[in-house]
């Protein structure tokens, strides 16, 4: 088996359980300190030879509840393969009239409405504390890089699919959809979209110092339109397949360019935006930090936790 690093990780959401037009290379199922990923990771190659690692967020056959997605294992597994940029897809409800079902969105903000039941940090349960900057929850450079490319594919597709940017996604716990009152409240808060899965995924990507961007695809109007039916899963399914087909086309079209951008010495810095940031997030090393915890964290942050001898240790 080749040990070649895979620089691009793709996470497929509801309806998007595989990519198209790629040559299957192998499946890997890395055991991480946080368990196994949602499903064995499929590594495939584009015609150019670009390798892509794909995880179906809810497992093949959609058996994993949004609250139970093993996001730490997913992100850690990508990191162990050498992934530098994660392109995540998600089916979302729209909280805005203009974002009609079928629209594509590149959000730049998140409101956290998960309920604290999802493990949201690699540091949780360890003797090492980190407070990671998350003011800009998506990798801005990566999102900006995506904008013209996704727009180009949607235009080429010719079905008039709209693309929105600079939007805010509310991430709720689920699995039930929101009440009408909640849906109206999220609009007042400034939410534009709603889903159940971008957290803790985006937080963990940030902790692992990986570039992370989301392509959100609208399936419904959630439950804020007073004269209309509140969202149901059946409503979501109506647009899920078409959205997934377009998402596959977007991926297929832009991934070669993404590989080139990541490896371009003049442009690659866009995808290194997060690298080095955890240095300012982790509390200083102390004798109270357990070596076993350092070893565990070295899986995702080898630069900070694999060397032991020369680090300064405080009491
Ligand atoms: C099938 S409707 C609700 C479900 O769909 C979204 O999943 P994903 O983000 O993985 O595409 C949403 O977050 C919910 O998990
Ligand atoms: N209305 C909605 N609420 C939460 N997650 C969703 N995923 C798709 N539509 C959704």
């Amino acid at each position: 088996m080749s040990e070649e690093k895979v620089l691009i990780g793709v996470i497929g959401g509801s309806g998007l359980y595989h990519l198209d037009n790629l040559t299957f290379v192998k499946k890997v199922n890395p055991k991480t300190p946080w368990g196994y990923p949602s499903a064995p990771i499929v590594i495939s190659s584009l015609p150019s030879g670009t390798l892509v690692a794909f995880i179906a967020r809810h497992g093949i056959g959609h058996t994993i509840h949004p609250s139970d997605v093993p996001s730490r294992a997913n992100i850690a597994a990508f990191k162990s393969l050498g992934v530098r940029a994660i392109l995540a897809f998600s089916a979302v409800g729209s909280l805005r009239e203009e974002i009609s079902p079928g629209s594509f969105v590149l959000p730049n903000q998140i409101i956290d409405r998960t309920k604290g039941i999802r493990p949201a940090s690699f540091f949780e349960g360890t003797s090492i504390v980190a407070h990671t900057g998350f003011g800009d929850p998506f990798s801005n450079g990566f999102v900006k890089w995506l904008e013209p490319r996704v727009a180009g594919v949607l235009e080429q597709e010719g079905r008039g699919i709209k693309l929105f940017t600079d939007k805010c996604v509310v991430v709720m716990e689920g699995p039930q959809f929101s009440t009408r009152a909640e849906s109206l409240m999220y609009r007042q808060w400034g939410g534009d979209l709603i889903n159940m899965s971008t957290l803790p995924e985006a937080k963990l990507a940030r902790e692992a110092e990986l570039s992370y961007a989301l392509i959100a695809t609208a399936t419904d109007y959630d439950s804020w339109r007073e004269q209309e039916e509140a969202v149901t899963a059946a409503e979501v399914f109506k647009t899920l397949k078409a959205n997934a087909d377009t998402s596959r086309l977007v991926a297929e079209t832009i991934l070669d360019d993404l590989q080139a951008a990541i490896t371009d010495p003049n442009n690659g810095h866009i995808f290194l935006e997060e690298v080095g940031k955890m240095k300012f997030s982790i509390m200083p090393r102390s004798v109270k930090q357990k070596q076993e915890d350092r070893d565990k964290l070295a899986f995702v942050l080898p630069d900070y936790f694999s060397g032991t001898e020369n680090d300064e240790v405080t009491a």
Side-chain angles (χ1 to χ4, degrees):
M1 263 201 272
S2 146
E3 289 307 312
E4 197 176 346
K5 284 195 171 167
V6 188
L7 302 181
I8 301 172
V10 175
I11 300 180
S14 296
L16 189 62
Y17 307 109
H18 63 90
L19 295 175
D20 268 351
N21 297 326
L22 302 178
T23 307
F24 175 81
V25 175
K26 62 181 172 183
K27 270 189 194 175
V28 293
N29 200 15
K31 183 169 190 226
T32 77
W34 300 276
Y36 288 98
S38 295
I41 300 178
V42 178
I43 299 180
S44 315
S45 105
L46 291 164
S48 63
T50 293
L51 292 178
V52 180
F54 180 87
I55 297 180
R57 184 183 287 120
H58 300 280
I60 301 301
H62 204 127
T63 53
I64 305 175
H65 289 247
S67 307
D68 297 333
V69 171
S71 293
R72 290 192 295 189
N74 290 348
I75 301 296
F78 271 162
K79 182 86 188 228
S80 74
L81 295 177
V83 164
R84 298 241 313 259
I86 298 176
L87 181 59
F89 287 88
S90 169
V92 300
S94 165
L95 299 171
R96 300 288 157 195
E97 192 67 49
E98 63 278 15
I99 308 177
S100 48
S103 301
F104 275 49
V105 190
L106 303 174
N108 67 343
Q109 275 303 323
I110 301 179
I111 293 174
D112 188 355
R113 279 278 296 165
T114 62
K115 300 277 170 72
I117 61 172
R118 308 175 181 196
S121 169
F122 289 112
F123 295 83
E124 216 172 293
T126 75
S127 55
I128 299 162
V129 178
H131 300 285
T132 306
F134 201 54
D136 294 301
F138 300 101
S139 299
N140 287 338
F142 186 9
V143 175
K144 288 269 164 284
W145 182 93
L146 278 172
E147 192 179 326
R149 290 162 177 90
V150 176
V153 179
L154 298 182
E155 203 176 308
Q156 228 180 337
E157 223 220 1
R159 286 197 295 125
I161 299 172
K162 292 178 277 185
L163 177 67
F164 296 88
T165 56
D166 299 328
K167 299 293 176 202
C168 175
V169 58
V170 176
V171 185
M172 61 175 293
E173 190 59 56
Q176 298 85 356
F177 291 115
S178 307
T179 63
R180 289 185 187 271
E182 287 164 340
S183 196
L184 287 165
M185 178 180 74
Y186 297 144
R187 279 165 53 82
Q188 286 179 5
W189 284 1
D192 301 302
L193 313 165
I194 184 159
N195 76 2
M196 303 175 191
S197 58
T198 301
L199 294 176
E201 201 171 90
K203 287 185 176 174
L204 295 163
R206 179 62 51 83
E207 283 190 348
E209 296 191 333
L210 296 176
S211 218
Y212 178 93
L214 175 69
I215 300 186
T217 59
T219 49
D220 56 271
Y221 274 121
D222 201 45
S223 303
W224 57 272
R225 289 163 115 211
E226 278 160 32
Q227 309 308 320
E228 305 290 334
E229 292 291 314
V231 63
T232 60
E235 186 63 30
V236 169
F237 293 142
K238 285 186 193 163
T239 23
L240 209 55
K241 188 182 176 301
N243 284 357
D245 288 345
T246 308
S247 299
R248 273 188 276 271
L249 181 67
V250 167
E252 204 183 294
T253 313
I254 69 171
L255 290 181
D256 259 332
D257 245 16
L258 178 58
Q259 172 87 6
I262 295 172
T263 51
D264 177 353
N266 300 316
N267 238 333
H269 63 273
I270 297 174
F271 301 93
L272 294 173
E273 223 178 353
E274 318 307 340
V275 176
K277 285 200 177 156
M278 288 306 287
K279 193 172 175 184
F280 308 104
S281 310
I282 303 164
M283 298 308 280
R285 185 160 177 203
S286 90
V287 287
K288 299 276 196 289
Q289 293 177 351
K290 294 187 191 136
Q291 187 56 44
E292 72 205 58
D293 292 338
R294 294 181 62 80
D295 294 343
K296 185 176 180 183
L297 288 163
F299 194 90
V300 276
L301 292 168
D303 289 351
Y304 307 112
F305 294 108
S306 34
T308 48
E309 298 83 12
N310 301 322
D311 295 359
E312 196 187 318
V313 182
T314 58

